[in-house]
């Protein structure tokens, strides 16, 4: 039970980062090659981008250069899990940051409750992996070690066929990934002007093919990509609708992703604010940390001794 829950937590922590600071799917880095006129119109001293492609290219560039932001959002993945997350992320040199994650439902929430957790945990992200605070329940079984350290190699093994793709995203993607996805989809349109939490924004929307865009934006070999596409098909995932809201400074303010899975709907809503905020993340104390691979060995040894 503990091993399975630890594995699920490791995956959900990665998914939380993928949906908040990167995206659930891949996109093209070459936004400038997307079709579009790039037409602009002058109004007094300001320049208004008429073509959505030209507008989103500017958003991709400006958001990418901002390097850090405060992030808040909620995610539901069918019957698997629903969660809320908030924290800060820096993408100036890989993905680093910290996130408070609260599981509010689904099988993941039930598993956390069975471990004696209230459903809230902290996750810290580093260039080579991430760490999750599992609380006192884990500490009681590991000699005081409440933090589990997951390397990206662990992530690849845990996630099966999609592991290589998720590992690639976590290491190489940045928060403007949703914008890149829209640029690469060829299906982007301007919806209109809307206020988001008191901020005047422009709303853009489009539909992306998950497998196709992951292939365009990843370093996966043919075997990994084929396995990933099969896993997506088995899960019933084909396309996602991605919406972004951007402010007058060409910064991403809000992003939503919606799609269908065999276990239900995928819904993710993320808000971005305080661009340029300072992000400082410390490694958990070594005395309170155990590597995921080491925990599996210990759990296996314990199970063997008990049989």
């Amino acid at each position: 039970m503990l091993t399975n829950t630890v594995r699920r937590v490791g995956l959900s922590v990665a998914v939380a980062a993928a949906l908040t600071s990167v995206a659930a799917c891949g996109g093209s880095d070459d936004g400038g090659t997307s079709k579009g006129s790039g037409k602009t119109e002058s109004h007094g001293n300001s320049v208004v981008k008429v073509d959505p492609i030209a507008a989103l290219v500017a958003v991709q560039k400006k958001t990418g250069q901002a390097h850090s932001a405060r992030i808040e959002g909620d995610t539901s993945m069918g019957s698997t899990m629903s969660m809320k997350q908030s924290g800060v992320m820096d993408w100036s040199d890989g993905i680093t940051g910290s996130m408070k994650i609260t599981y509010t439902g689904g099988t993941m929430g039930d598993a956390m409750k069975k471990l004696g957790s209230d459903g809230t945990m902290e996750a810290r992200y580093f260039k080579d992996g991430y760490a999750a605070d599992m609380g006192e329940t884990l500490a009681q079984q590991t000699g005081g070690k409440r933090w589990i350290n997951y390397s990206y190699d662990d992530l690849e093994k845990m996630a099966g066929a999609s592991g290589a793709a998720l590992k690639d995203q976590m290491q190489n993607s940045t928060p403007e990934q949703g914008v890149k996805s829209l640029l690469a989809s060829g299906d982007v349109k301007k919806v209109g002007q809307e206020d988001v939490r008191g901020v005047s924004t422009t709303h853009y929307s489009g539909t992306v093919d998950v497998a196709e865009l992951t292939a365009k934006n990843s370093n996966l070999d043919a075997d990994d990509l084929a396995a990933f596409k099969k896993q997506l098909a088995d899960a019933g995932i084909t396309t996602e609708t991605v919406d972004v809201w951007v402010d007058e400074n060409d910064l991403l303010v809000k992003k939503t992703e919606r799609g269908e899975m065999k276990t239900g709907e995928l819904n993710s809503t993320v808000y971005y604010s305080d661009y340029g905020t300072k992000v400082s993340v410390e490694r958990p104390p070594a005395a309170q940390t155990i590597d995921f691979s080491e925990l599996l060995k210990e759990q296996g040894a314990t199970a063997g001794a008990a049989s």
Side-chain angles (χ1 to χ4, degrees):
M1 174 65 185
L2 175 62
T3 300
N4 288 337
T5 300
V6 166
R7 190 186 303 272
R8 290 174 188 166
V9 167
L11 289 173
S12 67
V13 166
V15 169
L19 288 166
T20 54
S21 63
V22 287
C25 56
S28 170
D29 280 324
D30 191 8
T33 62
S34 300
K35 294 180 180 179
S37 65
K39 182 180 178 182
T40 62
E41 290 181 358
S42 295
H43 294 270
N45 294 324
S46 63
V47 176
V48 178
K49 302 177 186 68
V50 176
D51 179 61
I53 297 299
L56 289 178
V57 167
V59 173
Q60 175 191 330
K61 181 178 180 181
K62 192 73 175 291
T63 300
Q65 291 174 341
H67 296 318
S68 66
R70 189 166 299 280
I71 295 170
E72 178 185 347
D74 57 79
T75 299
S76 61
M77 298 181 69
S79 60
T80 303
M81 67 176 174
S82 58
M83 61 184 176
K84 295 182 179 296
Q85 58 267 29
S86 62
V88 292
M89 284 287 182
D90 184 294
W91 54 92
S92 58
D93 184 19
I95 298 295
T96 59
S98 63
M99 195 80 64
K100 179 181 178 182
I101 300 172
T102 300
Y103 298 96
T104 56
T107 55
M108 189 65 239
D110 293 339
M112 294 292 285
K113 289 179 181 178
K114 289 179 181 179
L115 283 179
S117 169
D118 64 357
T120 299
M121 60 174 290
E122 181 186 355
R124 298 179 186 177
Y125 300 90
F126 307 96
K127 289 179 63 175
D128 58 352
Y130 50 97
D133 183 359
M134 293 290 290
E136 288 302 316
T137 300
L138 178 69
Q140 291 171 7
Q141 301 181 47
T142 57
K145 297 181 178 181
R146 58 185 295 152
W147 288 85
I148 300 179
N149 187 61
Y150 300 89
S151 69
Y152 284 125
D153 288 338
D154 291 334
L155 173 63
E156 184 172 6
K157 294 172 185 176
M158 284 189 296
S162 65
L166 193 53
K167 172 186 175 182
D168 184 79
Q169 287 179 346
M170 291 287 290
Q171 289 182 308
N172 300 306
S173 296
T174 54
E176 75 272 21
Q177 190 69 55
V179 179
K180 295 179 184 179
S181 298
L182 288 180
L183 286 168
S185 71
D187 180 44
V188 58
K189 61 182 180 294
K190 179 179 177 180
V191 179
Q193 301 298 123
E194 300 173 16
D195 279 354
V196 176
R197 293 184 166 184
V199 177
S200 178
T201 69
T202 305
H203 178 187
Y204 300 92
S205 181
T207 301
V208 301
D209 183 302
V210 179
E212 179 183 342
L213 290 180
T214 299
K216 287 182 179 179
N217 194 49
S218 72
N219 298 315
L220 303 181
D221 61 31
D223 290 341
D224 283 338
L225 187 59
F228 176 59
K229 288 182 176 180
K230 182 180 184 304
Q231 191 172 56
L232 287 177
D234 291 343
I237 302 171
T238 54
T239 61
E240 285 184 357
T241 300
V242 178
D243 289 71
V244 298
W245 289 257
V246 301
D247 66 15
E248 61 180 6
N249 297 313
D250 291 330
L251 291 171
L252 194 60
V253 173
K254 177 183 176 182
K255 173 173 67 69
T256 65
E257 297 181 37
R258 303 186 307 279
E260 292 291 335
M261 307 168 63
K262 286 187 177 179
T263 59
E265 292 185 354
L266 161 68
N267 282 288
S268 171
T269 301
V270 185
Y271 297 92
Y272 305 84
S273 62
D274 297 334
Y275 279 97
T277 189
K278 184 177 180 179
V279 178
S280 178
V281 187
E282 293 184 0
R283 299 273 182 181
Q288 298 178 21
T289 304
I290 185 170
D291 286 342
F292 174 71
S293 56
E294 183 182 345
L295 181 64
L296 288 186
K297 291 178 183 178
E298 290 187 4
Q299 292 289 308
T302 301
S307 62

